[in-house]
Structures are given as C-alpha cells and as structure tokens.
C-alpha cells in the first residue's frame, strides 16, 4: 500500500516539470554514513509517509570504499583507509549535529539516489566540514579526480 502511494505521489507530483527540483528542507530520521559523501536516512515527505533514501552530499567528493583501481595494492589500501576515516567522520558529524536536514534536493544520475545539501543543527554544511577536516575535496559535478597517490 505504501509503495502504491509513493508511486502515485512520484508519478503525479514529482515528475511535473514544476517540481523537477525537490528543494526541501526535509528533516532526516536516523541518518547514517554509507561512505564519506553518501548517507542513508528516512525522510518524511508526507504526513505518515517516510522514504528510505540514499543521499549524495552536494559539494564534496570523498574516497570510495570500493577498489580504487590504482597501480599498486598499497595505493588502493591507502584509499580504502581514507574512505573508512571519512565514513567515521560523517557518522560522528551526523550524531553531533542532529537534527540534520537536507535541501536543494534533486534526483541523482544513479537511480534511487538523491543529491542534496546536508546541513546540521548549527547551520554547518557536511560538505564544508568534510573538506575542512581533510576527508574530502570540493566537487560540483563533472569528471572526478582520482584518489590514487594520496
């Protein structure tokens, strides 16, 4: 039943060109880090209706947990270690800055994921915190730089 409501809501309401940008803000329920630049959370979009969403943090690129494809195992291991540190930083940031909200929400190029600006209770953006702490770098779309040779 909930799936049917979400499907009707998505097709009839969000597919309209007037709503191409979902905007926000939306409060997040129980956000957790997937990696340094992706979080997962329940997002209340309608009274009594929450969407389990994967959210790509706008404005930052962080190392990936999966194999980086670098020339050496040592480089790949270093990137994975950096990705784990970034994920741990994001989890701590989410807990420290609760309640967390998202805004500027739009559909990501990957199906089922959304791009959004993630902001904590004090107004700090997660993207800026990641960059300032050295766990990510500025990213505003386009081809991403390699993390090889950290």
């Amino acid at each position: 039943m909930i799936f049917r409501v979400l499907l009707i809501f998505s097709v009839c309401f969000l597919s309209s060109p007037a709503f191409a940008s979902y905007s926000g803000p939306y409060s997040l329920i129980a956000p957790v880090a997937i990696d340094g630049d992706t979080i997962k959370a329940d997002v209340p979009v309608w009274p009594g209706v929450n969407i389990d969403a994967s959210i790509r943090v706008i404005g930052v690129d962080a190392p990936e947990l999966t194999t980086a494809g670098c020339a050496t195992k040592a480089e790949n291991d270093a990137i994975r270690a950096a990705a784990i540190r970034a994920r741990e930083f994001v989890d701590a940031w989410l807990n420290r800055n609760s309640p967390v909200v998202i805004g500027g929400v739009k559909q990501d190029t990957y199906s089922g994921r959304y791009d959004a600006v993630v902001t904590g209770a004090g107004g700090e953006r997660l993207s800026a915190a990641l960059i300032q702490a050295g766990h990510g770098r500025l990213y505003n779309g386009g081809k991403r730089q390699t993390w090889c040779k950290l």
Side-chain angles (χ1 to χ4, degrees):
M1 177 64 182
I2 289 177
F3 176 75
R4 182 175 286 164
V5 170
L6 291 175
L7 180 63
I8 292 169
F9 177 78
S10 296
V11 170
C12 295
F13 187 74
L14 295 178
S15 63
S16 167
F19 297 99
S21 177
Y22 306 143
S23 195
Y26 298 100
S27 297
L28 300 183
I29 300 171
V32 295
I34 300 300
D35 61 24
D37 53 25
T38 307
I39 62 176
K40 193 167 185 74
D42 285 338
V43 183
V45 294
W46 200 261
V49 178
N50 295 336
I51 293 176
D52 180 24
S54 179
I55 303 154
R56 170 76 170 74
V57 181
I58 290 177
V60 67
D61 179 40
E64 299 297 327
L65 288 165
T66 57
T67 303
C70 297
T72 68
K73 181 180 180 326
E75 287 178 320
N76 287 324
D77 291 346
I79 291 169
R80 180 160 171 73
I84 290 169
R85 288 190 302 273
R87 181 180 61 194
E88 290 169 349
F89 176 87
V90 171
D91 265 333
W93 187 93
L94 292 168
N95 289 322
R96 191 174 57 251
N97 289 281
S98 183
V100 176
V101 298
I102 57 173
V105 181
K106 60 185 177 184
Q107 189 73 44
D108 188 81
T109 54
Y110 293 102
S111 177
R113 190 167 80 169
Y114 300 92
D115 295 335
V117 174
V118 179
T119 307
E124 179 183 35
R125 287 187 174 185
L126 175 54
S127 58
L130 273 162
I131 293 167
Q132 185 176 11
H135 296 294
R137 58 181 169 218
L138 185 63
Y139 176 72
N140 288 313
K143 185 164 173 57
R144 295 182 328 167
Q145 297 175 356
T146 182
W147 283 96
C148 297
K149 309 245 188 249
L150 281 176

